[in-house]
Amino acid sequence: MKKTVAAMLTAVLCMSVMAGCGSKAEEAAPTEETVAESTGTEESGQAEEAGSEEASEETEAPAEAADNAEGQDAEAAAVSEALADGVLNVGTNAEFPPFEYVNDSGEPDGFDIALIKAIGEKLGVEVQVDNMEFASLVSSIGTKIDVSIAGMTVTEERLNTVDFSDSYYEAIQNVLVLEGSEIAGADDLTGKAIGVQLGTTGDFIAEEIEGATVSQYNKGVDAVNDLVNGRLDCVIIDKNPALVFESKFEGKVIALDGGQFNFETENYAIAMPKGDTVLAEQINGALQALKDDGTFDALVAEYIEESNQ
Ligand code: GLN
């Protein structure tokens, strides 16, 4: 229903105002390639993996983890370090409706948040959500947070640092333009002023476009505001948020499908500490169970299909 979309957008816009609109990040982000399927654990180099595991054991074996494992006896050996304290700390960037946004109560909400909470329930752990900048998520895994769910696309570059769960959603970048714009295909993007969210796959695509001036924003909505204000020719952002912004700025902004620009499809997955195969198995198992019992489809209907209306 429209009401849901409106609530989501109000939340996104409010957050944007509070944090100060138009803040741009200066740093250029590295180019990445997306990968068609998540093959996280298989692709990780064994040598590297051993190194990072050692490091995390030293810094992270908390006393309460051992305490908590008592009484679980046989199962204790199969408990991931990330789950041993009974809490799954999840990082997200709640600026990406309908996957994550801040709701009217000021809490992170959305499809991804509902999904990770359902996964936590299956695993019998409490889920704590930390709202942070998108560009900080990957590097915070294994230290500040256990995992990240943030409409995050599986990319080769990210696989150097983290593993990914099985993919749970297929996406593609869209191009948001102003009504009446002549941009319609890949060639039309040459030399244009393009807005993106810093460190996202839309950012990496834009960096490759010949002659383009790319402005990176911490929040997608700030880029869309600059499009509406005439400072940008277009914004490259994932399809579902693009559709939400299109409906928010109805009559002003149009979302063009990425297929028109020869963009490749992308796969969203949960980013996890590299080499934690126990955690990967548990998260993938819970994800599968939620697909089998209909919960997953119900969440798609509630959060994603609803936002497209
Ligand atoms: N899917 C994009 C990426 O992974 C954007 C994600 C986001 O902005 N939350 O880079």
Side-chain angles (χ1 to χ4, degrees), residues 56-191:
S56 67
E57 259 162 41
E58 268 166 31
T59 52
E60 265 189 36
E64 68 264 37
D67 291 344
N68 199 299
E70 272 173 28
Q72 293 181 15
D73 296 320
E75 271 179 40
V79 173
S80 154
E81 257 184 50
L83 300 181
D85 59 358
V87 180
L88 183 63
N89 291 98
V90 179
T92 195
N93 173 244
E95 298 290 342
F96 197 68
F99 293 94
E100 40 269 328
Y101 51 88
V102 176
N103 66 19
D104 291 342
S105 318
E107 299 295 327
D109 200 348
F111 176 83
D112 283 347
I113 309 305
L115 179 62
I116 199 71
K117 283 184 177 165
I119 288 174
E121 207 169 302
K122 287 266 181 225
L123 298 179
V125 293
E126 188 192 326
V127 170
Q128 265 175 22
V129 180
D130 200 350
N131 188 9
M132 27 200 309
E133 280 183 12
F134 183 81
S136 310
L137 289 169
V138 166
S139 62
S140 301
I141 291 171
T143 52
K144 205 165 178 248
I145 51 177
D146 295 320
V147 301
S148 171
I149 190 162
M152 192 182 286
T153 303
V154 179
T155 69
E156 292 290 357
E157 183 72 24
R158 291 171 184 159
L159 279 166
N160 289 328
T161 314
V162 292
D163 286 342
F164 280 98
S165 69
D166 292 337
S167 170
Y168 62 86
Y169 196 79
E170 191 180 282
I172 191 164
Q173 297 299 303
N174 269 15
V175 179
L176 282 172
V177 295
L178 287 178
E179 176 94 46
S181 163
E182 283 171 5
I183 294 176
D187 293 347
D188 303 328
L189 296 175
T190 308

